[in-house]
Amino acid sequence: MIPYNKKIVLENGLEFYGYGFGADREAVNEIVFNTSMVGYQEIVSDPSYTDQMVVMTYPLIGNYGITDEDFETRIPTMGGLIVREYNALPSNFRYTKTLSEILEEYNIPGISGVDTRRITRIIRNEGCQRVIITDAGVSREEALERLRNTPLKHDQVSRVTCRKRWFSRTPNHKFDVVAVDCGIKYNIVRCLNAKSCNVTVVPCTSTVEEILAFQPDGLFLSNGPGDPEDVAHVIEIIRELRGRLPIFGICLGHQLISLAYGAQTYKLKFGHRGGNHPVKNLLTGRVEMTSQNHNYAVDADTLKGSGLEITHINLLDNTVEGLRSVEDRLFSVQYHPESAPGPQDSSYLFDQFIDLMRK
């Protein structure tokens, strides 16, 4: 049997031995889990996972490789990847590289061979916590000491936002949308293009004047990593532009809208991550299967008197999944309609945004 060469040590002192793949380096991050059965490339390249080490609950990862066209961002910033079984010999006519090659290219460490079911239960019972991935020969005491002495990073949005504006155009466009990049996924831009929108993606540090200079028909607020209260500048943008433009927010954008209207957010025990969360649309009574990735949620009690109406709730824990202001032509959802959950349960949200701009 090949000896273990890597291990992870949780903040609670438990350690799990395994085999390294991807970047050969030590890292300290927050540990979270994702229940998706497919889509590991989209997860690895989702900027919302910045500084997070992700446990995949599906046991076999890497079997269809990596495809150039399927990235969600240009430079992946995930903290690390933890899997039960890693497949280094993918079978897929589209694949161009293995998962390990991509992780190594972007300096992301991975570990396989660990008990991901037990780790997931620990996170569910105890909540998110810090974790270190290190060499198998490092003692548990030394690993815990390094873990305690490495603070978690903050203000991730400022590190993943684009540095200059960029355009994504489509033939015979009908609408012009400015998207504020807090860590935007490329498939959101593709979905807007498919709805005849030219999209101008701007940094989260852009001013209201710079946004209005593009003469947009609507404003989109993207997903992104970290604590929404760290993104104070975008909250001010929302306060200045609400009622002046149709606004659509997804995930972090949803949380930023709630903060702009005076509500509050809080950190969930272990977050929502995966493609199997049932969400009820309170306006239609329909239940959608949704894809999610977030650590924070909107506090429903603080929405009273804010001017925002709850439109969707999560049927697993009754957290707020959607908001709107009819008067201000604004709405948002906590989940990801562009991730094809259902697979088309939530695509109507982009049509809803189009209707607001048309009117």
Side-chain angles (χ1 to χ4, degrees), residues 151-260:
L152 292 179
K153 299 177 181 177
H154 293 276
D155 200 18
Q156 289 88 350
V157 168
S158 65
R159 288 184 274 127
V160 299
T161 187
C162 57
R163 297 295 173 244
K164 291 181 179 290
R165 58 101 180 98
W166 56 277
F167 301 106
S168 181
R169 303 188 184 281
T170 187
N172 303 315
H173 88 284
K174 298 178 181 178
F175 304 98
D176 292 287
V177 173
V178 167
V180 178
D181 180 11
C182 297
I184 194 167
K185 294 170 65 177
Y186 285 168
N187 205 40
I188 293 175
V189 178
R190 297 185 195 110
C191 287
L192 289 170
N193 286 157
K195 299 294 183 181
S196 300
C197 296
N198 277 350
V199 182
T200 303
V201 182
V202 300
C204 68
T205 54
S206 300
T207 65
V208 169
E209 290 73 24
E210 288 170 338
I211 291 172
L212 293 177
F214 293 106
Q215 298 182 321
D217 298 302
L219 179 70
F220 177 80
L221 305 168
S222 86
N223 62 291
D227 188 339
E229 293 188 7
D230 289 341
V231 201
H233 180 71
V234 178
I235 296 172
E236 288 303 318
I237 289 176
I238 299 167
R239 286 175 179 155
E240 290 195 46
L241 290 180
R242 61 186 179 186
R244 300 171 64 181
L245 288 171
I247 298 177
F248 178 24
I250 287 177
C251 199
L252 180 65
H254 163 81
Q255 298 160 14
L256 295 176
I257 285 174
S258 70
L259 291 172

Side-chain angles (χ1 to χ4, degrees), residues 8-16 31-33 55 115-130 269-270:
I8 59 171
V9 182
L10 301 178
E11 201 169 355
N12 63 8
L14 292 176
E15 55 185 355
F16 298 82
I31 189 170
V32 300
F33 66 85
V55 179
D115 188 346
T116 52
R117 292 203 302 177
R118 186 182 176 198
I119 296 171
T120 299
R121 289 193 181 101
I122 291 170
I123 298 170
R124 285 185 62 91
N125 293 334
E126 301 180 17
C128 296
Q129 55 188 283
R130 290 189 296 172
K269 183 178 180 180
F270 49 81

Side-chain angles (χ1 to χ4, degrees), residues 325-339:
S325 170
V326 175
E327 180 182 358
D328 289 341
R329 298 174 297 162
L330 168 151
F331 72 102
S332 63
V333 289
Q334 181 65 77
Y335 54 96
H336 284 265
E338 84 290 344
S339 292

